[in-house]
Amino acid sequence: MPTLRTRPDPRKLSAPEEELFHAFYLMRRGFDRALDAQLQRDDGISISELEVLMTLVRAPGRRLRVRDLVTLTGWEKSRVSHQVTRMAARGLLEREDCAEDRRATWIRLSGDGRRVVVHALPKHTATIRRILFDALSDEQQEELLAISQRMIAAMEEPEDVPGL
């Protein structure tokens, strides 16, 4: 059986590479969907809404400028803008003028937004624990952490595909 490492053509995946990629893809997508479904079912919010709320919870004064929210979430500005508009309409966030920069707007966590986070986190954390931590041994968790860190580093490197 060929190993995952030996592959002469970078434009094609071997059968073991294809199997690994497919399993990884299903795991990653399934994990995201399971977390989103749990939040929708138990708290009526999406994983994207929780991401914005948690970013604001961690921010000084529980507020951020839109550009900082864009940076911290890694989303496009238009996506952040649409998400903030929907969440403000639901009372989870508040918009404020920025006295320091009239072109900027502060996005602040509202009292309702904070209550949603406080209510959602215990069940959300339990779901993460069940799927991720309970399913893996301590050694597997350490391996997954190392693998994740290496993949993150690889994503930050400039793309250079030899032979293409």
Side-chain angles (χ1 to χ4, degrees):
M1 180 168 149
T3 68
L4 294 176
R5 286 276 178 213
T6 56
R7 188 69 198 146
D9 187 349
R11 298 169 297 178
K12 297 179 183 177
L13 297 178
S14 66
E17 288 170 335
E18 183 65 38
E19 181 181 11
L20 172 61
F21 172 75
H22 186 67
F24 176 80
Y25 177 81
L26 291 177
M27 178 273 304
R28 185 184 57 80
R29 291 289 305 226
F31 188 55
D32 290 345
R33 288 179 178 156
L35 293 177
D36 194 54
Q38 177 272 314
L39 285 166
Q40 292 279 354
R41 180 186 66 242
D42 295 341
D43 297 290
I45 62 171
S46 69
I47 192 78
S48 297
E49 289 171 319
L50 182 64
E51 184 173 353
V52 171
L53 293 171
M54 289 304 300
T55 303
L56 290 167
V57 163
R58 294 180 183 113
R62 295 190 174 139
R63 71 180 191 168
L64 290 167
R65 293 179 187 180
V66 171
R67 70 174 182 234
D68 297 324
L69 198 51
V70 166
T71 300
L72 291 169
T73 59
W75 297 354
E76 297 292 326
K77 185 179 179 188
S78 62
R79 179 178 178 194
V80 168
S81 179
H82 291 300
Q83 188 70 56
V84 165
T85 298
R86 288 190 299 272
M87 292 174 74
R90 293 181 54 201
L92 301 173
L93 309 174
E94 299 166 347
R95 286 191 162 130
E96 297 176 357
D97 291 332
C98 179
E100 300 88 358
D101 181 354
R102 296 202 182 271
R103 296 170 295 163
T105 302
W106 286 108
I107 306 302
R108 178 184 296 281
L109 183 68
S110 70
D112 284 346
R114 185 182 179 289
R115 281 186 285 283
V116 165
V117 169
V118 168
H119 186 264
L121 278 183
K123 289 179 186 174
H124 186 64
T125 301
T127 301
I128 292 169
R129 180 164 306 287
R130 178 181 61 81
I131 296 171
L132 178 60
F133 297 104
D134 294 349
L136 302 175
S137 68
D138 291 345
E139 295 81 21
Q140 289 171 322
Q141 290 176 35
E142 290 174 17
E143 290 173 12
L144 182 57
L145 175 60
I147 291 166
S148 298
Q149 290 169 336
R150 288 184 72 170
M151 290 180 70
I152 291 166
M155 286 183 263
E156 292 171 353
E157 293 174 5
E159 191 171 337
D160 180 31
V161 180
L164 293 183

